[in-house]
Amino acid sequence: MNNLRLKALLGAGCFSLALIGTAMSSAHAGGLERGWYDIDLLFDPAQVTGELSGTYVMPQRDLKNAKDTDPSDGTLSGPKFSTSARDTESYWVPNAGIKVGMGPIDCLGDYSQPIGASSNPGANWAGAQSNVDTQVKSEAFGATCSYKTDLGKGQFRFIGGVFHEDVSGFKEQLVAPLPSPLLGSGIGRLDLQGDGWGWRAGVAYEIPDIALRGSLVYNSAVKLDNLSGTLDLTQVPGFINPTNPLLGRVTDVYGSAEVPDSVELKLQSGIAPGWLAFGSIKWVNWSELQSIPFCPTSTQGLVACSTTSPVRATSLDLLYRDGWTVSGGVGHKFNDQWSGAAVITWDRGTSTGLSAQTDTWTLSGGVAYTPTQNIEVRLGGAIGVLTSGTIHTSVSKDDGLTYDNGYTADFGNDLVTALSTTLKVKW
């Protein structure tokens, strides 16, 4: 067997493992990103391949020196309201897929959870008027195919597919700190659900003899024009503000948003027998999510629902900027059964001041064990730094208005860790 062919065989095994490290290091990326979209199983050379993976991410973002800056509904200070809070919770990122090859055509069906959020600092801190408990989840099912044709020394692929995404979640805020629990908790809750379709298109070029592959894939935005839910203010009695007809009741609300579009470039190449170098650059259009207003359903079609609308019931003020993720690493195959990889990733924070999503640096690594040609087990880990910053007011690029969470806070460099496992079976 010549050296070029040896590099291809050894490099391919390392590459499949290296992707696990990349997935972990970007699992706590900016915006609402969790697992995002991953179609790399489409390139597996086996005729039929199934893969099941799970990543457990443990971010430890702590807010400090929190100060209530909006006394209109009562100042959250004193011994009852802490000046510090844990802003993040641990979470799972599952992924599953099956790929089938039929001559020059490969098709992949997959399940993922592209976006999500989990934060539960509670009601007894100085920023509770902004966040008591926030949970967002998504589920996406996709179908992606590629067509291969010979080009030069390698093969060129045309890639296309569709996916359906369902997004749901809720957010609780301390609308008014009440003097007695007999009057209610003072917490308001917004529940939402919506779904939509997206599509993807891309190209790839491969030279298997030197384990070279380059791919460029665009994922469209998923329009959530049917966002609907309820605003529950039953725990906020009407006498707090008699001019607000929404207090003390549950109101059906509607709105619209989108899961943003993205572009990702991935490159890999064998660099020596048993060694592979790889990297990627991804852009996500998170800046499309600024202030998302919600209005009573009873006003739909009568009055436009906007951030300045007189019928606006509430809004989700995100004011994100675009996200960029850059990663690079190397993989090595030690023998026919064991291989390993290491990846370093930088993710540009999407916060413009209203959140604690600053830049993240992550180092990931792992090993793959292949007891037979048909089974592969991968284990990986990651450790990273969530960089420091402050929470303050911010100006929206959409309407030029200044938005305020109602509190300010500081945070230092915090730790994020992750563990991942994957089972791949080939037929």
Side-chain angles (χ1 to χ4, degrees), residues 194-270:
D195 67 289
W197 287 88
W199 56 273
R200 62 173 54 98
V203 293
Y205 184 68
E206 302 164 280
I207 303 179
D209 284 347
I210 57 173
L212 184 145
R213 180 195 303 155
S215 64
L216 180 66
V217 177
Y218 169 80
N219 293 288
S220 76
V222 178
K223 300 290 185 179
L224 304 175
D225 293 330
N226 61 347
L227 270 182
S228 62
T230 58
L231 178 61
D232 186 347
L233 296 176
T234 55
Q235 293 297 309
V236 187
F239 70 81
I240 295 295
N241 183 0
T243 64
N244 188 342
L246 303 181
L247 300 184
R249 58 191 292 259
V250 177
T251 303
D252 293 332
V253 295
Y254 78 99
S256 64
E258 66 178 39
V259 180
D261 54 339
S262 65
V263 178
E264 186 166 19
L265 172 67
K266 291 185 176 182
L267 299 171
Q268 72 163 75
S269 179

Side-chain angles (χ1 to χ4, degrees), residues 60-263:
Q60 300 177 30
R61 171 65 85 197
D62 292 318
L63 303 180
K64 306 173 183 178
N65 304 316
K67 181 180 179 181
D68 182 10
T69 59
D70 182 12
S72 60
D73 294 320
T75 302
L76 307 187
S77 61
K80 182 180 178 180
F81 297 101
S82 173
T83 60
S84 62
R86 172 61 59 87
D87 191 47
T88 55
E89 290 186 304
S90 300
Y91 54 87
W92 277 98
V93 182
N95 189 279
I98 184 165
K99 172 258 178 184
V100 178
M102 299 166 286
I105 298 176
D106 294 296
C107 288
L108 168 68
D110 70 290
Y111 166 83
S112 62
Q113 295 184 1
I115 68 170
S118 185
S119 176
N120 186 17
N124 298 318
W125 73 293
Q129 290 186 8
S130 175
N131 182 27
V132 170
D133 189 2
T134 299
Q135 306 293 331
V136 177
K137 65 178 183 179
S138 68
E139 292 186 307
F141 294 89
T144 306
C145 292
S146 69
Y147 177 79
K148 293 180 290 189
T149 183
D150 292 336
L151 180 64
K153 296 181 179 180
Q155 293 180 322
F156 189 84
R157 287 186 191 240
F158 297 95
I159 301 171
V162 297
F163 51 94
H164 180 268
E165 193 162 342
D166 186 284
V167 179
S168 62
F170 69 86
K171 181 171 185 176
E172 295 182 347
Q173 297 173 244
L174 185 60
V175 178
L178 301 176
S180 170
L182 297 177
L183 300 175
S185 66
I187 293 176
R189 177 178 171 124
L190 175 66
D191 283 270
L192 294 170
Q193 192 277 332
D195 67 289
W197 287 88
W199 56 273
R200 62 173 54 98
V203 293
Y205 184 68
E206 302 164 280
I207 303 179
D209 284 347
I210 57 173
L212 184 145
R213 180 195 303 155
S215 64
L216 180 66
V217 177
Y218 169 80
N219 293 288
S220 76
V222 178
K223 300 290 185 179
L224 304 175
D225 293 330
N226 61 347
L227 270 182
S228 62
T230 58
L231 178 61
D232 186 347
L233 296 176
T234 55
Q235 293 297 309
V236 187
F239 70 81
I240 295 295
N241 183 0
T243 64
N244 188 342
L246 303 181
L247 300 184
R249 58 191 292 259
V250 177
T251 303
D252 293 332
V253 295
Y254 78 99
S256 64
E258 66 178 39
V259 180
D261 54 339
S262 65
V263 178

Side-chain angles (χ1 to χ4, degrees), residues 351-404:
S351 173
T352 59
L354 295 187
S355 68
Q357 294 180 341
T358 51
D359 290 10
T360 302
W361 289 88
T362 314
L363 179 64
S364 310
V367 294
Y369 174 60
T370 310
T372 71
Q373 292 182 347
N374 303 103
I375 297 176
E376 181 180 309
V377 179
R378 302 194 295 258
L379 298 173
I383 186 169
V385 176
L386 310 173
T387 57
S388 61
T390 61
I391 291 179
H392 52 79
T393 59
S394 183
V395 178
S396 171
K397 74 177 186 64
D398 283 351
D399 54 29
L401 299 177
T402 299
Y403 289 80
D404 189 343

